[in-house]
């Protein structure tokens, strides 16, 4: 199941296969370059499982909820990490209110909760507010 990314030049939606999320590509309409994903991707359960399974780069997951103050404070750090890691990692956001079964599957008991996956397997998990540099160091260890 591809994810949709709009072209920065013409605005047209492009379907990006999960395995190509960290790659640069070309817009199907105007042929402009589409940069690797540089922002966190909000996913549902099916998308989460596919990205974890298919990704050729490490995946950082932010388990969060809209009502959570620390989660809102972490959001700019997660976005900064996504920008810094573009092409080297994929950053996902999972809303634990919308997808409680997914949070339970990974024993998420407090949020924000961060997990790093590589090769389809959980490599590291930690709850609590951290900065972008810490997130980037987790990806470096998982690569």
């Amino acid at each position: 199941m591809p994810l949709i990314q709009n072209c920065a030049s013409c605005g047209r939606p492009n379907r990006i296969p999960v395995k190509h999320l960290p790659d640069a590509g070309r817009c199907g309409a105007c042929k402009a370059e589409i940069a690797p994903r540089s922002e966190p991707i909000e996913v549902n359960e099916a998308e989460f499982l596919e990205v974890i399974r298919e990704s050729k780069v490490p995946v950082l997951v932010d388990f969060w909820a809209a009502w959570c103050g620390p989660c809102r404070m972490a959001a700019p750090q997660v976005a900064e990490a996504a920008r810094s890691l573009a092409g080297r990692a994929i950053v996902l956001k999972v809303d634990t209110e919308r997808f409680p079964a997914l949070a339970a599957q990974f024993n998420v008991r407090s949020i924000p909760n961060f997990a790093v996956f590589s090769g389809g397997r959980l490599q590291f998990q930690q709850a609590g507010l951290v900065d972008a540099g810490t997130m980037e160091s987790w990806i470096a260890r998982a690569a």
Side-chain angles (χ1 to χ4, degrees), residues 14 29 36 43 49-50 53 64 67-68 72 89 97 102 130 133 140:
N14 286 266
V43 293
L49 294 172
E50 183 174 357
R53 184 180 62 247
W64 71 287
W67 54 262
C68 169
R72 288 193 305 273
E97 290 292 301
L102 192 54
V130 297

Side-chain angles (χ1 to χ4, degrees), residues 3 13 18 25 31 33 36 44 55 72-73 79 86-87 92 95-96 103 109 114 116 121 127 129 137:
L3 297 175
V18 168
K31 307 303 181 213
E33 182 173 319
N44 62 32
S55 180
R72 288 193 305 273
M73 291 183 350
L92 303 180
D95 184 341
T96 58
R109 297 186 188 274
F114 300 97
V116 176
R121 296 182 185 190
L129 185 59
S137 72

Side-chain angles (χ1 to χ4, degrees), residues 3-4 11 18 52-53 72 80 88 92 110 112 126 134 138:
L3 297 175
I4 304 299
V18 168
I52 297 304
R53 184 180 62 247
R72 288 193 305 273
E80 183 181 328
R88 297 182 294 133
L92 303 180
S110 63
Q126 177 179 318
T134 301
W138 296 337

Side-chain angles (χ1 to χ4, degrees), residues 5-8 12 14 16 23-28 32-36:
Q5 184 168 345
N6 290 335
C7 175
R12 293 271 176 98
N14 286 266
I16 312 292
D23 301 332
R26 296 246 174 244
C27 175
E33 182 173 319
I34 296 177

Side-chain angles (χ1 to χ4, degrees), residues 100-113:
L102 192 54
Q105 179 180 347
F106 293 99
N107 204 26
V108 174
R109 297 186 188 274
S110 63
I111 52 177
N113 193 300

Side-chain angles (χ1 to χ4, degrees), residues 30-44:
C30 72
K31 307 303 181 213
E33 182 173 319
I34 296 177
R37 288 300 286 247
S38 62
E39 67 275 343
I41 305 167
E42 292 194 33
V43 293
N44 62 32

